[in-house]
């Protein structure tokens, strides 16, 4: 016989204590486990060019600011989206520092830096998690914006997607969040300004598609107008008599249809050629880090 007897108070239901958990401790535990902190997003305007030294500099500034607080832990990770659908993801800053960027031939399209921070705050028993995300790159193309509109109803997500540089902070302590956002804003303002594209470049980027469509529709009309202008010379050459008859009208109709189709075909080819050239037009690169970036700048 087992001499062990479970006490009457044992069971699934825990003891009910008269002492209530203090509100600050409850909030601290709640935030630590599953709560969503407050969020602030700052949109940073201006076309900038980012170099490798600038990335190191912002991390150093963030680390220096966090030294003024009781920081328990700080982990920085960085993600690169490259051309040719390549991605480089570094979970730690040390991995990023070991990369030899002179051997990377792809261009950088977007850089995302994440900081995960644990800070001890007054009135909180556990360290509180703060995080900051900085994304620098090209804004999402209009066709992708439309797809995002269909799949998301978050206005903040749409605003972020349309802005080349965005800084987002999830925080418990508002003062720390403002300090970090100000650091990033000042750092971004100090980056090199990218050269502005010339007026012809801007025109083709904004109106190039409309121009190619006008050429497509105008080409057959232009061909018919030229035919009408020189019809007196063309008719005898193709064997069409000047006298009005059923036979001559049939030949004129067939010949004009052929001219119209030739003009339409040529217009489509010109439109396709112009659209391809417009797609190849590029703005000044946002980055000067990889070998691919240097080649793009040249």
């Amino acid at each position: 016989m087992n001499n062990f007897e479970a006490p009457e108070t044992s069971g699934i239901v825990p003891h009910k204590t008269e002492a209530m958990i203090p509100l600050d401790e409850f909030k601290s535990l709640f935030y630590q486990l599953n709560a969503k902190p407050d969020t602030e997003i700052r949109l940073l305007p201006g076309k900038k060019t980012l170099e490798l030294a600038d990335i190191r500099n912002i991390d150093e500034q963030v680390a220096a600011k966090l030294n003024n607080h009781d920081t328990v832990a700080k982990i920085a990770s960085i993600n690169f989206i490259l051309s040719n659908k390549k991605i480089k993801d570094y979970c730690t800053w040390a991995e990023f520092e070991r990369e030899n960027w002179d051997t990377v031939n792809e261009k950088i399209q977007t850089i995302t830096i994440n900081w995960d921070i644990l800070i001890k705050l007054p009135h909180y028993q556990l360290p509180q998690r703060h995080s900051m995300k900085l994304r620098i790159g090209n804004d999402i193309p209009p066709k992708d914006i439309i797809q995002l509109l269909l799949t998301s109803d978050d206005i903040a997500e749409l605003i972020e997607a349309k802005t080349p540089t965005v800084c987002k902070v999830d925080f418990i302590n508002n003062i720390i969040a403002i300090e970090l956002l100000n650091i990033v804003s000042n750092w971004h303002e100090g980056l090199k300004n990218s050269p502005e594209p010339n007026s012809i470049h801007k025109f083709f980027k904004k109106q190039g598609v409309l121009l190619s469509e006008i050429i497509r529709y105008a080409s057959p009309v232009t061909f018919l107008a030229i035919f009408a202008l020189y019809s007196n010379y063309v008719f005898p050459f193709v064997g069409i008599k000047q006298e009005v008859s059923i036979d001559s009208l049939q030949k004129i109709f067939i010949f004009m249809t052929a001219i119209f189709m030739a003009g339409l075909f040529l217009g489509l080819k010109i439109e396709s050629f112009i659209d391809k050239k417009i797609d190849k037009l590029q703005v000044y690169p946002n980055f000067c880090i990889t070998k691919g970036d240097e080649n793009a700048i040249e």
Side-chain angles (χ1 to χ4, degrees):
M1 182 176 178
N2 190 353
N3 294 327
F4 176 80
E5 293 183 2
E8 296 180 357
T9 56
S10 65
I12 298 177
V13 181
H15 289 288
K16 183 178 180 181
T17 59
E18 296 181 358
M20 299 294 292
I21 300 177
L23 179 59
D24 287 343
E25 292 185 18
F26 175 77
K27 287 173 61 180
S28 177
L29 182 62
F30 189 68
Y31 286 141
Q32 181 72 15
L33 295 178
N34 57 9
K36 180 181 179 181
D38 295 328
T39 300
E40 184 166 343
I41 300 173
R42 189 167 295 184
L43 309 179
L44 305 175
K47 190 75 168 53
K48 303 290 185 175
T49 300
L50 188 68
E51 299 180 358
L52 195 59
D54 299 320
I55 299 177
R56 296 190 176 105
N57 179 259
I58 185 58
D59 184 63
E60 291 171 357
Q61 291 190 47
V62 170
K65 176 57 65 176
L66 294 176
N67 286 336
N68 298 329
H69 301 278
D70 192 359
T71 304
V72 176
K74 178 184 80 73
I75 299 176
S77 59
I78 187 167
N79 172 277
F80 293 82
I81 298 179
L82 308 176
S83 58
N84 298 330
K85 299 181 180 180
K86 291 186 178 181
I87 297 176
K88 284 183 174 288
D89 199 357
Y90 304 93
C91 297
T92 64
W93 203 261
E95 293 179 10
F96 159 69
E97 291 288 1
R98 285 194 293 266
E99 181 65 74
N100 185 7
W101 294 101
D102 290 335
T103 62
V104 179
N105 295 322
E106 290 78 20
K107 295 186 299 181
I108 295 176
Q109 295 179 340
T110 304
I111 293 178
T112 303
I113 309 175
N114 291 285
W115 289 271
D116 284 316
I117 309 159
L118 286 177
I119 301 178
K120 282 191 66 70
L121 300 173
H123 312 298
Y124 291 91
Q125 184 176 358
L126 297 176
Q128 295 301 300
R129 182 176 181 269
H130 296 67
S131 65
M132 182 167 68
K133 177 181 178 181
L134 174 63
R135 182 182 65 83
I136 304 172
N138 299 319
D139 51 345
I140 294 180
K143 61 179 181 179
D144 294 334
I145 289 290
I146 295 174
Q147 184 177 1
L148 189 59
L149 281 169
L150 298 175
T151 58
S152 175
D153 56 356
D154 189 353
I155 300 300
E157 186 178 355
L158 296 175
I159 295 174
E160 287 183 56
K162 293 176 62 178
T163 307
T165 305
V166 178
C167 186
K168 177 180 178 181
V169 176
D170 296 328
F171 61 92
I172 303 300
N173 185 282
N174 183 63
I175 296 177
I176 296 175
I178 295 300
E179 290 177 347
L180 294 175
L181 288 170
N182 288 339
I183 286 176
V184 173
S185 296
N186 293 333
W187 168 82
H188 182 266
E189 187 177 352
L191 296 177
K192 294 180 180 178
N193 293 319
S194 298
E196 290 290 334
N198 56 43
S199 56
I200 297 178
H201 191 156
K202 289 181 179 179
F203 172 79
F204 277 105
K205 267 295 186 182
K206 293 181 178 180
Q207 308 296 337
V209 175
L210 177 62
L211 177 64
S212 65
E213 288 181 351
I214 292 175
I215 292 175
R216 181 183 68 182
Y217 291 114
S219 294
V221 177
T222 303
F223 271 49
L224 290 176
I226 295 174
F227 168 73
L229 185 62
Y230 294 96
S231 59
N232 293 333
Y233 303 98
V234 175
F235 285 166
F237 181 77
V238 296
I240 300 176
K241 298 179 180 180
Q242 297 289 342
E243 294 82 6
V244 178
S245 64
I246 299 298
D247 182 64
S248 63
L249 290 176
Q250 287 177 344
K251 290 181 179 179
I252 291 173
F253 177 77
I254 294 173
F255 194 71
M256 291 182 65
T257 302
I259 291 177
F260 180 86
M261 295 304 297
L264 183 61
F265 176 79
L266 182 62
L268 289 172
K269 289 295 184 180
I270 295 175
E271 179 189 29
S272 177
F273 174 79
I274 293 176
D275 289 345
K276 288 180 180 179
K277 290 296 183 181
I278 291 173
D279 290 339
K280 291 181 179 180
L281 288 176
Q282 297 181 357
V283 296
Y284 194 85
N286 287 347
F287 307 99
C288 184
I289 297 175
T290 67
K291 203 67 177 177
D293 294 334
E294 295 176 2
N295 294 334
I297 290 175
E298 291 178 3

